[in-house]
Amino acid sequence: MGWESNVRRVIPYTPGEQPQQSGIIKLNTNENPYPPSPAVIQTLREFDSASLRLYPDPEAKILVNALAETYGVKSSQVFVGVGSDDVLSIAFMTFFNGNKPVLFPDVTYSFYDVWAEVHRIPYRVVPLTEDFRINADDYRQVNGGIIFPNPNAPTGVMETLALIEEVIKANPDSVVIIDEAYIDFGGMSCLSLLPKYDNLLVVQTFSKSRSLAGMRIGFAIGSEKLIQYMNDVKFSVNSYTMTNLSCLCGAAALRDADYFRTTVQKIIVTREAAKQRLTELGFTFPDSYSNFIFASHPDKEASLLFEELKKRKIYVRYWNKPRIDQSLRITIGTPEQMEALYAALAEILKK
Ligand code: PMP
């Protein structure tokens, strides 16, 4: 077809499966196994549905202000979006706009190369070390921007604040984005570096630690200048990204700091137990500071384990990609879900 020569062709990101049948133990997309805060449930109950007649606040002030208060920054330093995927996509569009390649690790969130492709951004992948770590010296090369998650996905590996600062310091002419989707599960946030670097953008999400994946709330915090540039792009694409309902729910989740701390702590305790149990089953994995463990087994192909678990209605994540095709990314569920996982793995490994 002639018109097809004008089509923007991309190989899309493949999200983890969201099976619609019941009875599944879902450990494949790093969701929180616990429900959102009761404060969120209350907000949903009290929501004035007649207000849906109106467009929402294009500046999402309720949520932006709540985030500014929670993280001790100015409202003008906060940008919100429809999940951090939306925030990251806009950040790619806004900041990675030169001719030099954007740098990110070879083993990382598999959306980065998709955004680079769809936004026509040149990029270069930088191999992680043998044990999946970042070498700061690898980021002392010509680039048009830098992004990586900390802790990294799908490995769960956490880099130090010192390493991150080294990368930012070495790149004053690039925007450096640190994707902190999993930071609340034990990592050290680099938000503390913001006063020193106006080229640092920190991106976080409500999808994991705040149990709101379904509400789609993500945010970025950075210098006022960075946030202004992102807003200019956002308001050039879609003014009304956040519904009032999602802003209210997000603000309610932030207010309930006790619930947040308690659920995160439960997941950390379950994760530490999982490290022990998976080790007993013969698995190895890089030490995880996130709500998942990236495990491989010396005796069984990861693809086989993945299929066998699926037959038993336990979903984990598997990628048939170089360097990671012998590992499963297992989201930390409730202790009960994890017991079912260990029992299934023990049975499969016996065969
Ligand atoms: N960054 C990383 C590293 C992730 O793993 C995810 C979850 N898929 C996201 C960002 C996006 O999450 P969300 O859009 O739900 O905020």
Side-chain angles (χ1 to χ4, degrees):
M1 297 303 160
W3 56 264
E4 281 195 293
S5 62
N6 295 331
V7 167
R8 185 178 294 247
R9 294 187 194 214
V10 280
I11 300 168
Y13 171 75
T14 314
E17 281 178 84
Q18 294 295 121
Q20 297 302 313
Q21 69 269 43
S22 58
I24 302 255
I25 296 184
K26 197 171 173 307
L27 307 176
N28 68 335
T29 52
N30 297 342
E31 288 141 330
N32 195 310
Y34 301 107
S37 149
V40 172
I41 313 299
Q42 182 72 8
T43 300
L44 287 168
R45 264 199 216 105
E46 291 170 359
F47 182 68
D48 171 18
S49 49
S51 72
L52 290 174
R53 183 179 66 77
L54 301 171
Y55 283 108
D57 170 13
E59 293 175 40
K61 282 192 281 301
I62 288 176
L63 181 58
V64 165
N65 292 342
L67 281 163
E69 194 177 319
T70 302
Y71 291 98
V73 295
K74 294 185 199 161
S75 294
S76 49
Q77 290 183 265
V78 180
F79 178 91
V80 294
V82 187
S84 53
D85 281 342
D86 180 41
V87 175
L88 288 164
S89 173
I90 288 179
F92 268 62
M93 240 197 282
T94 310
F95 302 122
F96 298 163
N97 201 39
N99 303 319
K100 296 172 192 160
V102 165
L103 307 178
F104 47 82
D106 59 341
V107 176
T108 196
Y109 186 29
S110 51
F111 224 138
Y112 298 158
D113 58 349
V114 177
W115 284 314
E117 295 281 352
V118 75
H119 297 313
R120 301 194 175 152
I121 297 163
Y123 65 96
R124 179 178 298 151
V125 295
V126 181
L128 294 174
T129 63
E130 194 64 25
D131 52 353
F132 294 131
R133 302 213 73 103
I134 287 175
N135 179 354
D137 287 338
D138 293 343
Y139 290 82
R140 294 179 197 277
Q141 56 172 302
V142 171
N143 69 77
I146 291 170
I147 178 163
F148 55 83
N150 194 44
N152 198 7
T155 61
V157 171
M158 171 75 184
E159 298 295 350
T160 62
L161 214 50
L163 178 135
I164 289 169
E165 183 160 15
E166 207 181 321
V167 172
I168 303 166
K169 229 186 219 165
N171 291 280
D173 297 329
S174 299
V175 170
V176 177
I177 304 176
I178 307 298
D179 177 352
E180 294 192 337
Y182 301 102
I183 198 68
D184 294 325
F185 299 104
M188 181 81 105
S189 171
C190 65
L191 281 169
S192 61
L193 298 177
L194 282 175
K196 276 168 78 180
Y197 302 100
D198 67 358
N199 60 325
L200 167 64
L201 189 78
V202 183
V203 177
Q204 295 191 11
T205 178
F206 283 60
S207 298
K208 326 288 180 179
S209 54
R210 296 186 193 274
S211 303
L212 282 172
M215 196 51 85
R216 312 303 299 127
I217 307 172
F219 61 98
I221 301 184
S223 62
E224 289 181 280
K225 224 172 178 180
L226 289 189
I227 299 306
Q228 182 59 53
Y229 280 127
M230 287 184 79
N231 272 315
D232 289 346
V233 170
K234 178 210 133 166
F235 281 99
S236 307
V237 176
N238 180 2
S239 319
Y240 304 110
T241 49
M242 309 303 286
T243 66
N244 281 347
L245 182 60
S246 57
C247 289
L248 289 167
C249 287
L254 289 171
R255 274 198 309 276
D256 197 350
D258 280 348
Y259 184 85
F260 166 71
R261 272 193 294 270
T262 310
T263 43
V264 163
Q265 197 49 40
K266 278 203 272 189
I267 292 166
I268 291 173
V269 168
T270 312
R271 177 190 71 205
E272 294 308 306
K275 289 178 186 173
Q276 175 80 32
R277 299 290 293 274
L278 289 172
T279 302
E280 285 164 16
L281 287 165
F283 285 91
T284 59
F285 42 84
D287 197 17
S288 169
Y289 286 79
S290 59
N291 68 336
F292 53 84
I293 292 178
F294 195 55
S296 50
H297 200 280
D299 306 336
K300 292 271 193 233
E301 294 282 322
S303 56
L304 178 138
L305 292 172
F306 170 77
E307 291 301 339
E308 288 295 322
L309 284 172
K310 202 167 177 178
K311 279 187 206 160
R312 292 162 176 79
K313 291 191 163 186
I314 300 175
Y315 283 50
V316 297
R317 195 85 193 263
Y318 169 73
W319 290 271
N320 188 6
K321 281 191 179 176
R323 288 195 81 180
I324 59 171
D325 62 352
Q326 279 314 317
S327 301
L328 298 176
R329 191 195 66 189
I330 304 168
T331 303
I332 303 302
T334 61
E336 297 72 31
Q337 291 176 318
M338 298 308 282
E339 286 303 329
L341 171 79
Y342 309 139
L345 284 172
E347 183 189 285
I348 298 163
L349 289 167
K350 252 198 310 209
K351 277 205 219 162

